[in-house]
Amino acid sequence: MELTGAEIVVKCLQDEGIEYIFGYPGGAALHIYDALYRQDAVKHILVRHEQGASHAADGFARATGKPGVVLVTSGPGVTNAVTGIATAYMDSIPMVIISAQVPTHLIGDDAFQEVDAVGITRPCVKHNFLVKDVNDLAMTLKKAFFVAASGRPGPVLVDLPKDVTAQTAEYIYPRTVAMRSYAPVSRGHPKQIRKAVDMLMRAERPIIYTGGGVVLAEGQDALRDLVRMLHYPCTSTLMGLGAYPHDDPLFLGMLGMHGTYEANMAMHDCDVMLAVGARFDDRVTGELAKFSPYAKIMHIDVDPASIGKNVKVEIPIVGDARSVLEDFVKEVKSRQAEPDTERTKAWWGQIEKWRAQDSLAYDRTSKIIKPQYVVEKLHEVTQGDAFVTSDVGQHQMFAAQFYGFGKPRRWINSGGLGTMGFGLPSAMGVQLAFPDDLVCCITGEASIIMCIQELSTCKQYDLPIKIINLNNRYMGMVRQWQEFFYDRRYSHSYMDALPDFVALAESFGHSGMRIEKPGDVEGALQEAFAMKDRLVFMDFITDQSENVYPMIAAGKGHNEMHLNPGSGEPIQERELA
């Protein structure tokens, strides 16, 4: 079957089972857009900015586990998408980006709308390809999807010159692909697993530390089995929330810079740590020289380059988080019938003292809306069952601390890159993947402006997203740092000349609300959620002075947290072997 390169692209997408692609047309991509027009199996979502395309594909991938697909034109088309590509790369999200390129004979001549897409994206993709022969196109796309979704997932870019999309070739889509230089490991080494279980079952102050890799690998069931079989405390990174139920008494909450007191103190004082699908980044570890000074560490990760990169590891285990955790469960089952709670009794006693600190306390009597209160009410009204996307800043941390995630893939946020503007377009990808589910975007007035144009996309495709704007008239996290570390010199952190968000939303054809009193919060949420077929922009006017606590400052360890001034002195008493 002879097809043009453009038709081969579309046929490959069909054979991969791709339902949606997110993109924006331009001259170099028009052959592909014409091929899309002549079929209806692959649905194209027209965003209003290429950054929105990459974030929407990212949100789709995070919520479904399937690769998101982006289509952009050459030059500014692909450069506009780079922020979203880097966001996906930092959080290991599977994505395939098809970037149109100038014709092959013009590459390197500074042609109109030419950039070196392969060179520009090399630092922020898992792999990229430049296709110069139409006969290589189908195999290249097959490799792109394979690399993006296997091992440690990530974005893969395919740069496609315009003349290649016009040439013809026989279409044969490979069923399988083998790459000599790429063979990711999936199963953990049995001997290493046995050694790790030996160490784990001798621990007196154990902790299980989980990250986004557990979510990506669908390892939540095995994780829950292991934690409950051992009766050990479990904590999670920002990216790992939802893999273990937030309301289980064995869960200590999120750890790290804005983690709970009990999670951070337990990480500092533990004697054995099992890290699963986490990369020991700086927002989790604090000062590395002070990180978990008493712990022997076991690290499970599908990416061998992540093991031992930041911290010394006693037992490395390379493998898929789900399969390795399932092997752990089998090994523990073969050794014990009931949890050895006597060995960890003193440890749990200490943890309960830390937990009594109530490090997430805030003023519930305020006559000004507290952002934490809005998130708590959101959880209550939705019964914790919504998909929640967020932008980046204080509102992101309040969402992580107060929403309470009981399922994986419900918390959609930019962790590694920290990308303002991520929330709304990623919510579009989630809503398209799950049209009958409630999708909420928790944002701030500084973040939402970054990709506000995507309100137009939401209108075109009737996406009934509910936007919760925690509006404190500041770049909240910047202001907090300036308050703590720059003697309250609020340099360029005030968002002056803000729009009337209600009028702005309505100008795009959506519904808007402005909420200024705590007593109106719950009613506004219920009213908005009753409008099931409309996007509703809820502008909550919140306390400008509220800060995110706990907080670990730069250069400090887990045991040196700033707590909310109203929550009392930290409970430091502990006895270590």
Side-chain angles (χ1 to χ4, degrees), residues 254-316:
M254 183 176 72
L255 80 155
M257 178 175 280
H258 296 296
T260 66
Y261 185 67
E262 55 268 30
N264 283 335
M265 290 301 294
M267 283 289 283
H268 183 270
D269 283 4
C270 69
D271 64 352
V272 170
M273 179 194 305
L274 174 62
V276 190
R279 57 190 178 88
F280 294 92
D281 71 283
D282 60 295
R283 289 297 172 101
V284 161
T285 64
E287 178 62 32
L288 276 172
K290 300 177 181 180
F291 176 70
S292 300
Y294 317 105
K296 293 181 178 179
I297 299 173
M298 300 163 280
H299 191 184
I300 301 168
D301 204 290
V302 75
D303 180 10
S306 292
I307 299 179
K309 181 172 69 175
N310 294 331
V311 300
K312 180 184 176 183
V313 173
E314 194 85 11
I315 302 176

Side-chain angles (χ1 to χ4, degrees), residues 459 462-466 528-536:
K459 180 62 178 176
D462 296 319
L463 302 178
I465 297 162
K466 304 301 182 279
F529 298 152
M531 291 185 263
K532 297 184 183 297
D533 59 347
R534 297 184 64 81
L535 184 148
V536 183

Side-chain angles (χ1 to χ4, degrees), residues 76-263:
V78 68
T79 57
N80 280 346
V82 167
T83 296
I85 296 170
T87 299
Y89 179 71
M90 289 291 284
D91 290 345
S92 304
I93 304 304
M95 184 189 294
V96 172
I97 306 96
I98 300 168
S99 61
Q101 183 56 279
V102 300
T104 52
H105 68 279
L106 293 179
I107 292 176
D109 287 355
D110 294 332
F112 177 67
Q113 291 192 331
E114 180 195 357
V115 298
D116 178 6
V118 168
I120 287 170
T121 61
R122 186 174 286 119
C124 61
V125 294
K126 187 176 177 182
H127 194 62
N128 55 23
F129 301 90
L130 171 61
V131 182
K132 292 186 175 182
D133 186 339
V134 69
N135 293 291
D136 298 332
L137 181 52
M139 176 57 82
T140 300
L141 285 168
K142 183 67 177 180
K143 288 179 178 178
F145 280 101
F146 172 65
V147 172
S150 59
R152 179 179 180 175
V156 176
L157 180 132
V158 179
D159 202 31
L160 190 52
K162 186 172 184 178
D163 58 319
V164 175
T165 64
Q167 295 162 4
T168 60
E170 183 182 3
Y171 177 72
I172 301 173
Y173 196 56
R175 293 188 178 183
T176 59
V177 62
M179 301 174 67
R180 185 178 59 183
S181 59
Y182 178 68
V185 174
S186 60
R187 305 295 303 188
H189 195 287
K191 184 177 178 181
Q192 292 294 89
I193 291 171
R194 288 194 295 271
K195 284 173 61 178
V197 172
D198 285 341
M199 182 182 293
L200 201 58
M201 296 185 71
R202 292 196 301 267
E204 295 181 0
R205 302 191 307 277
I207 193 162
I208 297 176
Y209 152 48
T210 67
V214 178
V215 175
L216 293 171
E218 307 286 354
Q220 61 274 3
D221 292 340
L223 172 67
R224 295 174 197 189
D225 288 346
L226 181 65
V227 170
R228 289 166 180 170
M229 285 169 60
L230 293 169
H231 198 76
Y232 282 0
C234 177
T235 184
S236 169
T237 67
L238 178 74
M239 299 303 302
L241 293 173
Y244 197 86
H246 73 100
D247 54 356
D248 189 298
L250 300 179
F251 188 61
L252 306 187
M254 183 176 72
L255 80 155
M257 178 175 280
H258 296 296
T260 66
Y261 185 67
E262 55 268 30

Side-chain angles (χ1 to χ4, degrees), residues 10-11 13-15 17-21 35-44:
V10 175
K11 195 73 171 68
L13 296 176
Q14 292 172 352
D15 288 347
I18 301 302
E19 185 178 3
Y20 291 106
I21 63 170
L36 283 169
Y37 183 84
R38 290 181 276 112
Q39 57 85 56
D40 55 13
V42 179
K43 301 176 183 65
H44 179 276

